[in-house]
C-alpha cells in the first residue's frame, strides 16, 4: 500500500511538472501570407506593385516579446524571393534570417514556412523582401514587439500607437530599376516619398490631452528623411529595441533601415496638424505629408509646413550624438547581460571596413575593403553546415582596407563566438549620400566622426551609454564605430541598407563560430529548409 502511494505521488508530481512545462511555453502566432503582383498608384501613376494578402504596404505583425512567430508564405510572383525580419535577433537561428547567404529563395508557385521567436526584444522593427530589387515595388511592413505585463517599460502606456512606414519611391518597377543597375548605371533620383504608401493625406486620429506613440521606420531604398509634426514635440523613447534616455526633439532624422518610437501629446488646439517627412542630404528636397487629426477637430490643417533641417550633415551628426541608452529600464534588452558595462570589456578584435564605389568591367559596383560581394549559388550557411567546399573561403577579405582596385568575391569573416569585437566603418567618398550599414547582431554605437578614422579617436568614444541599434548611419566622408558582442552563433549578413549598393556588392558575412554543436548554442537546420545549388539532394 505504501509503495503504491509513493508511485502515485511520483506520477502526480510528474503530471504537475508536465502541466507546468506546457503552460511555460511561449505563445504561438500564426500568419499566412500570399505574395502577388497587383495594381497600385501611390504617386498617381499606375504601377505593378508587390502585395501581401492584397495589401500595400503589407500586413503588420504585432506580437509580444518571446512569442513564437509562424509565417507561411505563398509565392505567386514570377521570381523567387526571401523575406528578412529587419532587426529581429534570431537567437541561435540564422536559418530564419531570410537572406541569400543563409537561405535558398522560395521558388515561384511554392510556399515556405518561417518559424522564429521574437526573443528578449521589445520595440519597433520591419520586414521586407530581401532578394534582387523587389522591395522597390512593395512587400514590406511593420513588425512591432510589445512587452509582457511583468516587464515594465519606462513610460506610461500610451492611449494608442501608430505605425508609419516612410520611404522614397520610384514610378519605375523593381525589374526596370534592376536593369538600370545591371547596365552599370546608378539609380536615378527618387520620384517621391511615401507615408504608409501615400505621399499625402494619411490620417492619424487621437483625442486631445492624450499621449500616443508614433513608430516611424525608414523603409526606402536610399534616402534618409527628417520627421516632424506641426505644433508638437517628439519624445524619443525607443529605437530598434533599445529604450532611450527620454529627450524631446522638434524633429528627428531617420536613416534607411532605421526605426524610432516617439511619444506625442495632443496638447494643442483641437484642429488638424501636418505630419511631415522630408528627404535629407538631397537636392531637391522631396516631402510627404500626413494628418494628425484631433477627434473633435472641425478645422483642416493649414499654414506653412514646419521647417526641417536642410542639407547640414553636421546637424544630423550632432543630433545622433544626443541619443543615449536608458540604463535603468528593466525591459527586455537586445544584448547579453553584462554588456551594459561594455566600456570595461576589452575588444578581442578590431575590424576597419572601407566602403568604396568603383567600376569593374566597365560597370558600377560597390565594395567593402575592395571586395564587391557576389552571391554564390549555394547559400553560405548551407555550405558551412554540409561542409561543401569551394563556396567560400575565409581569406577573401581582410580586416583592414588596402590600396588597389576592387574585385569580385564572396566575403566571409570568421569570428569566435562569445567575444567582443569593434568595427569602424568609413563611408565611400560620395558627396551627398551617407552609407548605411545594417548590423544583424545589435551593435553598441560608439561614436561618429569626420574624415579618416584613426586609433587615437578611440579616446572620444561614448563607452557608457551608447545606444544599441541594428542599423548604423555612416555620414559622407566620415566614419562610425560600433561594438558588437558575438553571442549569437550563425552566419550573419552585414550590408548596406541603401539597397542598390547592397545589390551591387556592398555587403559581406560574419561566420560567428564555435566548435560546440549543441542546441544551447544553435538550432539544427529546419526540416523544411529549401536546398539549392551544391546542397540540393542533401538530407536535413
Amino acid at each position: 500500500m505504501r509503495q503504491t502511494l509513493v508511485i502515485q505521488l511520483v506520477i502526480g508530481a510528474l503530471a504537475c511538472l508536465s502541466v507546468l512545462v506546457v503552460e511555460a511555453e511561449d505563445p504561438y502566432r500564426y500568419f499566412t501570407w500570399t505574395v502577388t503582383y497587383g495594381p497600385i498608384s501611390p504617386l498617381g501613376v499606375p504601377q505593378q506593385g508587390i502585395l501581401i494578402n492584397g495589401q500595400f504596404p503589407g500586413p503588420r505583425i504585432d506580437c509580444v516579446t518571446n512569442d513564437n512567430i509562424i509565417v507561411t508564405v505563398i509565392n505567386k510572383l514570377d521570381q523567387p524571393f526571401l523575406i528578412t525580419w529587419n532587426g529581429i535577433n534570431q537567437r541561435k537561428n540564422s536559418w530564419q534570417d531570410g537572406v541569400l547567404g543563409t537561405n535558398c529563395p522560395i521558388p515561384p508557385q511554392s510556399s515556405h514556412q518561417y518559424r522564429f521567436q521574437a526573443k528578449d526584444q521589445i520595440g519597433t522593427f520591419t520586414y521586407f523582401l530581401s532578394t534582387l530589387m523587389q522591395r522597390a515595388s512593395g512587400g514590406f511592413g511593420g513588425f512591432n514587439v510589445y512587452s509582457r505585463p511583468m516587464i515594465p517599460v519606462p513610460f506610461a502606456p500610451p492611449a494608442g500607437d501608430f505605425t508609419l512606414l516612410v520611404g522614397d519611391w520610384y514610378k519605375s518597377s523593381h525589374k526596370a530599376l534592376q536593369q538600370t543597375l545591371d547596365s552599370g548605371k546608378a539609380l536615378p533620383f527618387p520620384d517621391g516619398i511615401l507615408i504608409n504608401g501615400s505621399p499625402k493625406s494619411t490620417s492619424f486620429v487621437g483625442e486631445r490631452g492624450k499621449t500616443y506613440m508614433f513608430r516611424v521606420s525608414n523603409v526606402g531604398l536610399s534616402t534618409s528623411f527628417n520627421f516632424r509634426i506641426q505644433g508638437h514635440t517628439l519624445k524619443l523613447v525607443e529605437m530598434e529595441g533599445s529604450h532611450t534616455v527620454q529627450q524631446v526633439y522638434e524633429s528627428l532624422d531617420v536613416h534607411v533601415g532605421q526605426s524610432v518610437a516617439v511619444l506625442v501629446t495632443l496638447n494643442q488646439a483641437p484642429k488638424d496638424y501636418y505630419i511631415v517627412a522630408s528627404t535629407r542630404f538631397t537636392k531637391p528636397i522631396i516631402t510627404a505629408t500626413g494628418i494628425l487629426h484631433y477627434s473633435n477637430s472641425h478645422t483642416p490643417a493649414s499654414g506653412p509646413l514646419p521647417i526641417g533641417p536642410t542639407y547640414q550633415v553636421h546637424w544630423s551628426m550632432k543630433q545622433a550624438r544626443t541619443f543615449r541608452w536608458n540604463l535603468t529600464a528593466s525591459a527586455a534588452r537586445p544584448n547579453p547581460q553584462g554588456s551594459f558595462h561594455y566600456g570595461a570589456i576589452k575588444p578581442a578584435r578590431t575590424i576597419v571596413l572601407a566602403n568604396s564605389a568603383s567600376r569593374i568591367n566597365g560597370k558600377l559596383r560597390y565594395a567593402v575593403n575592395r571586395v564587391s560581394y557576389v552571391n554564390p549559388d549555394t547559400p553560405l550557411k548551407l555550405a558551412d553546415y554540409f561542409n561543401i567546399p569551394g563556396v567560400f573561403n575565409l581569406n577573401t577579405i581582410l580586416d583592414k582596407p588596402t590600396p588597389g582596385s576592387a574585385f569580385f568575391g564572396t566575403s566571409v569573416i570568421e569570428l569566435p563566438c562569445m567575444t567582443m569585437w569593434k568595427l569602424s566603418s568609413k563611408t565611400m567618398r560620395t558627396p551627398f549620400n551617407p552609407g548605411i550599414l545594417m548590423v544583424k547582431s545589435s551593435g553598441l554605437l560608439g561614436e561618429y566622426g569626420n574624415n579618416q578614422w584613426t586609433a587615437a579617436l578611440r579616446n572620444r568614444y561614448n563607452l557608457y551609454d551608447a545606444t544599441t541599434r541594428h542599423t548604423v548611419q555612416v555620414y559622407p566622408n566620415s566614419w562610425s564605430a560600433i561594438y558588437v558582442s558575438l553571442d549569437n552563433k550563425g552566419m550573419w549578413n552585414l550590408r548596406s541598407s541603401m539597397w542598390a549598393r547592397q545589390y551591387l556588392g556592398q555587403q559581406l558575412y560574419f561566420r560567428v563560430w564555435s566548435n560546440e554543436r549543441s542546441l544551447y548554442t544553435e538550432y539544427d537546420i529546419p526540416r523544411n529548409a529549401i536546398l539549392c545549388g551544391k546542397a540540393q539532394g542533401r538530407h536535413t
Side-chain angles (χ1 to χ4, degrees):
M1 179 70 180
R2 184 176 179 181
Q3 185 178 13
T4 302
L5 180 60
V6 171
I7 292 173
Q8 289 175 341
L9 288 172
V10 171
I11 292 173
L14 290 174
C16 291
L17 179 61
S18 66
V19 170
L20 289 173
V21 169
V22 170
E23 290 182 346
E25 187 173 13
D26 293 304
Y28 281 75
R29 295 180 186 264
Y30 294 88
F31 305 86
T32 299
W33 290 352
T34 301
V35 182
T36 63
Y37 292 121
I40 60 174
S41 53
L43 294 178
V45 176
Q47 295 178 253
Q48 184 186 65
I50 294 179
L51 313 180
I52 300 179
N53 291 353
Q55 299 179 42
F56 169 76
R60 188 178 70 239
I61 290 180
D62 289 331
C63 68
V64 174
T65 183
N66 287 4
D67 280 357
N68 294 286
I69 309 299
I70 314 296
V71 185
T72 301
V73 179
I74 303 167
N75 182 2
K76 293 294 185 179
L77 304 184
D78 58 356
Q79 296 177 320
F81 68 77
L82 288 167
I83 296 177
T84 192
W85 316 95
N86 196 33
I88 301 301
N89 280 343
Q90 304 292 359
R91 301 295 304 171
K92 304 187 291 185
N93 201 16
S94 64
W95 301 108
Q96 305 295 332
D97 200 20
V99 290
L100 288 173
T102 57
N103 303 105
C104 299
I106 306 168
Q109 309 307 314
S110 69
S111 64
H112 179 70
Q113 190 175 82
Y114 290 95
R115 303 174 65 92
F116 59 91
Q117 189 177 25
K119 179 71 173 171
D120 295 334
Q121 290 183 275
I122 296 171
T124 307
F125 309 98
T126 58
Y127 66 84
F128 59 86
L129 271 63
S130 68
T131 34
L132 304 174
M133 291 295 292
Q134 292 157 343
R135 64 182 290 186
S137 291
F140 54 79
F143 194 133
N144 299 329
V145 184
Y146 295 86
S147 65
R148 292 182 287 178
M150 68 285 290
I151 303 178
V153 294
F155 48 83
D161 65 47
F162 307 115
T163 296
L164 286 75
L165 304 176
V166 185
D168 53 15
W169 191 257
Y170 290 86
K171 296 177 182 177
S172 301
S173 70
H174 70 278
K175 292 181 179 179
L177 295 177
Q178 184 177 322
Q179 288 176 351
T180 297
L181 296 174
D182 290 341
S183 70
K185 300 176 183 178
L187 289 184
F189 192 74
D191 295 307
I193 186 171
L194 307 179
I195 300 176
N196 289 355
S198 174
K200 58 183 180 180
S201 301
T202 303
S203 184
F204 304 89
V205 182
E207 295 182 32
R208 188 174 188 273
K210 293 186 177 181
T211 298
Y212 295 83
M213 175 174 283
F214 284 74
R215 301 177 182 270
V216 185
S217 297
N218 190 328
V219 294
L221 291 182
S222 61
T223 312
S224 302
F225 66 82
N226 179 267
F227 176 79
R228 52 203 183 271
I229 299 178
Q230 184 184 32
H232 295 73
T233 56
L234 315 173
K235 180 184 286 187
L236 180 66
V237 295
E238 178 258 327
M239 48 175 54
E240 299 159 29
S242 292
H243 288 113
T244 61
V245 173
Q246 296 176 15
Q247 300 188 73
V248 175
Y249 298 88
E250 296 291 332
S251 69
L252 284 169
D253 278 358
V254 185
H255 306 283
V256 183
Q258 294 183 344
S259 297
V260 299
V262 297
L263 296 179
V264 178
T265 300
L266 276 59
N267 54 10
Q268 300 299 306
K271 53 171 288 189
D272 292 358
Y273 296 87
Y274 288 116
I275 297 171
V276 181
S278 58
T279 57
R280 294 286 277 122
F281 320 118
T282 66
K283 297 178 181 179
I285 295 173
I286 308 174
T287 299
T289 59
I291 298 296
L292 173 58
H293 174 75
Y294 279 54
S295 58
N296 58 344
S297 166
H298 301 287
T299 306
S302 61
L305 298 181
I307 298 174
T310 53
Y311 180 77
Q312 305 98 328
V313 171
H314 180 71
W315 185 97
S316 184
M317 188 182 296
K318 185 177 179 180
Q319 181 185 77
R321 287 175 176 156
T322 67
F323 301 151
R324 290 290 186 263
W325 196 15
N326 186 342
L327 301 181
T328 64
S330 60
R333 299 178 185 272
N335 61 307
Q337 190 71 24
S339 290
F340 313 118
H341 305 291
Y342 62 95
I345 301 174
K346 184 178 181 180
R349 187 169 171 183
T350 298
I351 298 173
V352 180
L353 301 177
N355 308 317
S356 62
S358 60
R359 293 198 169 269
I360 302 177
N361 299 331
K363 294 184 177 181
L364 175 65
R365 294 289 300 190
Y366 293 91
V368 180
N369 286 5
R370 297 175 52 211
V371 184
S372 185
Y373 186 88
V374 177
N375 282 299
D377 294 334
T378 307
L380 308 175
K381 184 62 181 172
L382 293 180
D384 203 22
Y385 181 82
F386 291 117
N387 294 316
I388 300 172
V391 176
F392 70 92
N393 67 68
L394 301 175
N395 300 315
T396 302
I397 188 170
L398 301 177
D399 281 10
K400 292 180 173 56
T402 56
S405 302
F407 58 92
F408 292 118
T410 301
S411 313
V412 180
I413 296 176
E414 183 174 72
L415 297 160
C417 196
M418 301 309 295
T419 59
M420 193 83 171
W421 61 277
K422 180 170 60 182
L423 166 68
S424 294
S425 178
K426 296 186 289 185
T427 178
M428 64 193 69
R429 294 192 174 280
T430 53
F432 297 118
N433 288 318
I436 312 288
L437 284 178
M438 193 281 178
V439 185
K440 187 58 195 180
S441 297
S442 294
L444 294 151
L445 180 58
E447 189 56 76
Y448 307 97
N450 297 312
N451 303 316
Q452 296 293 315
W453 178 87
T454 65
L457 292 168
R458 293 171 178 157
N459 295 328
R460 61 184 283 184
Y461 291 174
N462 175 9
L463 297 179
Y464 176 66
D465 60 353
T467 55
T468 65
R469 307 201 72 165
H470 63 66
T471 304
V472 175
Q473 69 269 25
V474 188
Y475 292 99
N477 300 319
S478 302
W479 55 268
S480 296
I482 61 174
Y483 282 73
V484 175
S485 181
L486 300 172
D487 65 323
N488 199 13
K489 184 177 176 180
M491 190 75 72
W492 304 107
N493 188 217
L494 176 68
R495 61 177 179 257
S496 173
S497 286
M498 302 175 78
W499 210 245
R501 298 182 181 182
Q502 178 274 156
Y503 177 75
L504 292 178
Q506 193 179 14
Q507 61 172 312
L508 56 95
Y509 282 82
F510 289 116
R511 181 181 187 250
V512 181
W513 181 250
S514 73
N515 290 325
E516 180 184 4
R517 192 153 188 171
S518 165
L519 294 179
Y520 289 103
T521 57
E522 186 178 32
Y523 297 145
D524 286 335
I525 185 172
R527 293 183 179 180
N528 70 334
I530 303 172
L531 303 181
C532 58
K534 295 180 179 179
Q536 199 161 11
R538 307 273 179 148
H539 297 287
T540 59

